[in-house]
Amino acid sequence: MEKAVKKTVKEEKKKMELNPKIWEVPYNADLVAQVIYVYNSNERKGTATVKSRGDVSGGGKKPWKQKGTGRARHGSSRSPIWVGGGVAFASNDRNYSRKINKKVAKKALCIMLSQRLRDKELEFSSFAKEIEGKAIRENVGKKMGKKMLLISESENLKKYLNNMVGVDVVNPLKLNAKHIAGSKNILIDEDSVKVIEERLTDGE
């Protein structure tokens, strides 16, 4: 049993016949950070709002006459320089979405997959073919420590593990670098390996 646990990455690659363009990519921290930053920005809603001088109620009447009071002239008590006034240059409905090149996003995913495989934080399994229900949950439970990510096309598997805390099931066609970065334990269904490789190499 210990020998099986101590299998080298090379033995695993040979057994699975993994594509080196996906699983042997050198680590590039700057590229990964750039892609993760874009993903995080695109998830921001930009719904935070403040009231400008036009949104604050009241202030329709001129506080005092223009001349003769000795005080500075004002046209509204809802001016930004007044207490209770609106906010100057209010940045409402801000759009945080950013774009990134598709090839760069795919490269970042390849980098993360390769690094997880080198660090032995990624395993290949045939868990989607196991007995449904309790057997799958027990198998995943034994391997759980930190947050776990399961990559599989099986919709049934997603239903069975839907209420397990700390376990996410992602379809290989929707997998991105942020999914990998947010998980330490990663299990990839053997049937999904080819799907991932064809997607990231455009079928080459």
Side-chain angles (χ1 to χ4, degrees):
M1 188 70 180
E2 292 181 0
K3 291 182 180 179
V5 175
K6 294 181 180 180
K7 276 191 302 185
T8 63
V9 175
K10 289 184 179 179
E11 289 173 345
E12 190 70 36
K13 290 176 183 175
K14 186 176 180 181
K15 178 183 175 182
M16 293 291 299
E17 296 182 354
L18 301 178
N19 189 335
K21 293 181 180 180
I22 308 300
W23 308 98
E24 295 182 11
V25 182
Y27 192 69
N28 185 334
D30 291 337
L31 189 145
V32 171
Q34 179 185 359
V35 172
I36 298 298
Y37 174 75
V38 171
Y39 285 142
N40 288 335
S41 293
N42 290 342
E43 289 182 358
R44 294 186 68 176
K45 302 298 182 182
T47 54
T49 58
V50 292
K51 291 184 178 181
S52 65
R53 63 184 298 163
D55 299 320
V56 181
S57 61
K61 182 181 178 181
K62 188 173 175 64
W64 48 76
K65 63 181 183 178
Q66 183 81 347
K67 296 178 179 291
T69 63
R71 291 177 289 184
R73 54 194 174 190
H74 287 287
S76 173
S77 61
R78 296 300 179 259
S79 168
I81 64 176
W82 279 58
V83 174
V87 176
F89 311 115
S91 57
N92 295 335
D93 301 323
R94 184 172 177 182
N95 185 4
Y96 291 97
S97 63
R98 296 173 179 270
K99 293 183 179 180
I100 192 166
N101 189 288
K102 289 183 179 179
K103 290 185 177 180
V104 174
K106 289 182 178 180
K107 182 69 176 293
L109 178 54
C110 294
I111 290 172
M112 294 301 297
L113 290 171
S114 300
Q115 188 61 34
R116 286 288 189 263
L117 187 60
R118 285 191 290 267
D119 293 341
K120 298 182 180 179
E121 296 173 344
L122 183 151
E123 297 179 24
F124 302 99
S125 175
S126 57
F127 53 82
K129 297 179 181 178
E130 296 176 10
I131 301 174
E132 297 179 351
K134 187 176 179 181
I136 295 178
R137 294 170 69 92
E138 289 178 351
N139 186 18
V140 172
K142 291 176 182 177
K143 298 178 181 179
M144 277 190 66
K146 299 180 181 179
K147 188 175 180 181
M148 173 169 280
L149 176 68
L150 304 183
I151 302 171
S152 174
E153 292 181 292
S154 174
E155 288 297 326
N156 288 334
L157 182 69
K158 189 171 184 178
K159 292 178 182 178
Y160 296 138
L161 302 177
N162 189 44
N163 62 346
M164 286 193 73
V165 179
V167 178
D168 290 328
V169 181
V170 178
N171 190 295
L173 296 175
K174 297 181 180 180
L175 182 67
N176 61 47
K178 188 176 181 181
H179 292 133
I180 305 297
S183 305
K184 276 293 184 182
N185 296 328
I186 301 170
L187 276 178
I188 301 180
D189 186 14
E190 292 177 352
D191 294 338
S192 298
V193 174
K194 292 300 179 184
V195 177
I196 294 173
E197 291 183 348
E198 289 180 5
R199 173 193 161 196
L200 297 180
T201 59
D202 296 324
E204 294 180 1

